[in-house]
Amino acid sequence: MNHMEKLLEYARLIVRTGANVQKEQTVVLNCSVENHDFGRMVVDEAYKAGAKDVIVFWNDVKTSRLKYDYASLEVLGNVPAWQAESRNYYAEQKAAVISIIGSDPQAYFGVDSEKLKVSSQASAKAFEPYYKKMMNSDFQWCVAAVPEVKWARKVFPNHSDEEAVAKLWDAILNSVRIGKEDAVKAWEKHNDFLREKCALLNDYHFESFHYKNSLGTDFTLGLQKDHIWEGGGEYTPDQVCFFANMPTEEIFTTPDCYRAEGTLVSSVPLGYQGNLIENFSITFHEGKVTDYRAEKGVEFLKIIIETDEGSNRLGEVALVPYDSPISNTEILFYDTLFDENAACHFALGECYPTTIKDGGKMTEEELKAVGANQSKAHVDFMIGTNDLEITGITKDGCEISVFKNGNWA
Ligand code: ZN
Ligand code: ZN
C-alpha cells in the first residue's frame, strides 16, 4: 500500500468504523486548516457512506493565538449565542461528529493563563448541552489525528520537518492498524479483545483499586457501586456502534467520586490548551483534590482543577497495559489521544454515565448522589509506568492482582 492508499483507508476507517456514518445522517467535521487535504478526503468518504450533508468547522490555532494575544478578557469570556447554537443544534439533531486533530502542542505557550481560563470556562458553559450528549453517547463521535509540522518536530526533535512529519504519519497509521491487514477486520478483532477484558473485570466487580509504583503513586480508589467497564466500540441509544477515539487501547469505568485517597504521580507530560504540564502530582482525600504540584505548568493544572465544583474529583478510571502497541513504540506524542492510550490514566471532571448501570437515564442530581462525578471539565492524565501495581479489592475483602509490572496480571 502506498502512502496515498493508506490515507484513503484511514479516512474511510474514520468514517465507516470510527463515526459509523449512517445513510441520510448529517456529519459535522471539525478540522484544522493545516490538515485541509485530509479533511476533504473525510468529507468525500462521508458522502460516499451516505451522509446527506457534511458541515465543516475549520479551525486554526494561529488565528486563535492572535485572538488570545489581542482580545480582551471580556471578549474571550463571551461565546456568542449563535456559536453555541451551531454545535448544540447538531448534537440535538444527532449528527455524527468527526474531529481531526493535530496541532502544535505548545501553540499557546506564553498566553496569559487567565485568558485561557476565562475562554475555556466560557466554552464549557456555552457548549454544555453538546458535551453532555457527547459524554452520554447520544450521537456518534470520533476523534482521530493527522500530523502537523510543529507537533511532529516536538515528537521527533532530531529530524527535519519533512522526516518528522513522515515519522509521525507512520506512528499514527500504525497505531490505528492501517497498512498490514484489512483495517476494518483488525478493528473488529481488537474490539473483541477489549470486550473480553471488560467482561472479566465486570465479573469481579471490584469495590476498590490500590495503585502503587516507584514514581510515588500510592493511591486507593473506590469504584462506583454499579460501575460497568467499557472499551472499544460504544453504542448510541439507537444501537449504532462507534469508536470515540482512534486509536483506543483503554478500558474505562466510573470511580466513586467520594472515595479517593492518596497521591497520583504523572508519568507523561499533559498537554492542555496548547501548553504542557510536566512532572506533576495530585493528592486526594475523600475523593477531593487537597494538594497538587507541577514542575512546569502548574497554572494550567489549577485551571483544570478549579473549573467548577466537580473538576476537583475523578470522573474516569482507565486501564491500559504498559505493553500496548502505542507504548511499545516508545514515542511520547505530547497529545492525550495517543498518550492516554499508552498508559493507565484517570480523568478529573465529568464521568461517562454509560459506564454505570442505567446511568444514561439518570439526571445530573441522581448521578451525583450515587458518586458519579458531574463537571463541565473532563481532562485525562496519565500515571501508568512499567512497574505499576494495581490490586483489586472485592466486596468481601479479597485482594486480587489486576496489574503487575505495568501489565495485566
Ligand atoms: Zn480515557
Ligand atoms: Zn477521558
Side-chain angles (χ1 to χ4, degrees):
M1 227 190 261
N2 66 32
H3 188 62
M4 209 28 155
E5 287 164 343
K6 283 185 186 173
L7 295 197
L8 270 171
E9 187 167 13
Y10 185 31
R12 205 173 301 135
L13 184 75
I14 291 168
V15 168
R16 306 256 176 179
T17 300
N20 194 2
V21 172
Q22 304 287 295
K23 294 243 161 356
E24 288 299 299
Q25 188 173 22
T26 298
V27 173
V28 172
L29 171 67
N30 303 302
C31 187
S32 44
V33 291
E34 287 94 344
N35 300 323
H36 56 269
D37 284 335
F38 188 76
R40 288 176 194 137
M41 284 162 84
V42 172
V43 172
D44 189 25
E45 288 298 333
Y47 281 120
K48 282 179 183 150
K52 70 172 171 190
D53 193 6
V54 183
I55 313 294
V56 185
F57 292 110
W58 296 106
N59 50 63
D60 176 27
V61 287
K62 286 185 183 153
T63 314
S64 304
R65 167 86 208 212
L66 291 169
K67 183 162 172 165
Y68 282 125
D69 285 342
Y70 290 105
S72 68
L73 273 179
E74 197 193 336
V75 169
L76 290 163
N78 175 38
V79 178
W82 68 267
Q83 253 174 29
E85 176 67 14
S86 70
R87 274 184 197 283
N88 297 335
Y89 168 82
Y90 288 113
E92 190 66 44
Q93 300 291 307
K94 296 186 193 302
V97 178
I98 298 173
S99 302
I100 302 300
I101 61 159
S103 56
D104 179 2
Q106 290 173 299
Y108 303 145
F109 181 77
V111 170
D112 176 3
S113 65
E114 189 61 22
K115 286 186 167 180
L116 291 169
K117 179 181 174 181
V118 161
S119 147
S120 86
Q121 287 184 340
S123 305
K125 193 163 173 236
F127 304 125
E128 194 176 4
Y130 168 80
Y131 288 123
K132 282 270 174 209
K133 288 193 170 67
M134 187 168 167
M135 297 296 281
N136 210 16
S137 301
D138 278 349
F139 54 85
Q140 307 113 269
W141 55 282
C142 177
V143 183
V146 163
E148 180 273 343
V149 181
K150 286 239 170 76
W151 176 26
R153 284 299 297 272
K154 178 80 188 167
V155 180
F156 301 105
N158 300 323
H159 291 80
S160 68
D161 285 3
E162 217 169 279
E163 283 167 2
V165 168
K167 282 179 83 72
L168 189 52
W169 258 126
D170 278 351
I172 290 173
L173 293 172
N174 270 331
S175 78
V176 293
R177 298 172 160 77
I178 293 220
K180 285 172 208 129
E181 37 181 339
D182 179 329
V184 173
K185 284 220 178 76
W187 272 81
E188 278 169 15
K189 233 165 63 193
H190 177 50
N191 197 25
D192 290 343
F193 171 80
L194 293 172
R195 290 267 158 87
E196 255 172 55
K197 293 289 178 211
C198 291
L200 198 66
L201 284 167
N202 286 333
D203 277 349
Y204 277 115
H205 201 79
F206 288 111
E207 158 95 15
S208 59
F209 273 172
H210 183 251
Y211 288 72
K212 204 167 170 56
N213 71 7
S214 62
L215 270 185
T217 285
D218 189 354
F219 181 70
T220 305
L221 177 75
L223 295 170
Q224 200 279 338
K225 67 177 172 53
D226 296 316
H227 71 271
I228 300 166
W229 287 92
E230 265 192 18
E234 295 167 50
Y235 288 88
T236 65
D238 300 329
Q239 297 305 307
V240 180
C241 181
F242 68 98
F243 289 84
N245 288 345
M246 287 190 145
T248 184
E249 300 290 335
E250 64 173 329
I251 67 165
F252 61 99
T253 194
T254 301
D256 180 340
C257 68
Y258 304 113
R259 290 192 293 138
E261 296 292 330
T263 300
L264 290 169
V265 180
S266 72
S267 56
V268 176
L270 172 62
Y272 182 72
Q273 286 209 327
N275 283 278
L276 290 174
I277 308 168
E278 296 179 54
N279 297 326
F280 61 96
S281 66
I282 310 178
T283 302
F284 294 82
H285 176 57
E286 291 177 351
K288 207 168 160 180
V289 176
T290 53
D291 190 22
Y292 55 93
R293 344 172 146 227
E295 253 170 46
K296 275 191 195 151
V298 73
E299 63 274 35
F300 302 103
L301 197 52
K302 185 174 151 81
I303 294 178
I304 298 168
I305 289 168
E306 292 182 359
T307 304
D308 58 24
E309 223 182 286
S311 55
N312 56 11
R313 293 179 187 274
L314 295 172
E316 176 195 339
V317 46
L319 300 177
V320 185
Y322 192 77
D323 182 16
S324 83
I326 300 172
S327 119
N328 285 343
T329 61
E330 291 185 9
I331 296 168
L332 181 55
F333 283 86
Y334 297 97
D335 186 285
T336 300
L337 177 61
F338 294 89
D339 294 332
E340 77 163 326
N341 282 304
C344 283
H345 61 269
F346 294 90
L348 284 163
E350 180 79 353
C351 74
Y352 287 99
T354 50
T355 58
I356 295 172
K357 193 170 156 262
D358 296 326
K361 296 177 204 141
M362 289 158 90
T363 64
E364 255 175 69
E365 289 311 311
E366 287 168 335
L367 286 164
K368 234 165 127 173
V370 295
N373 202 31
Q374 296 296 297
S375 170
K376 290 186 186 71
H378 176 95
V379 181
D380 291 68
F381 61 98
M382 287 57 79
I383 58 100
T385 52
N386 62 0
D387 68 346
L388 180 66
E389 308 276 319
I390 305 176
T391 309
I393 299 138
T394 62
K395 260 203 183 74
D396 39 27
C398 271
E399 293 193 4
I400 290 153
S401 175
V402 178
F403 264 56
K404 216 172 174 47
N405 293 324
N407 290 306
W408 291 106

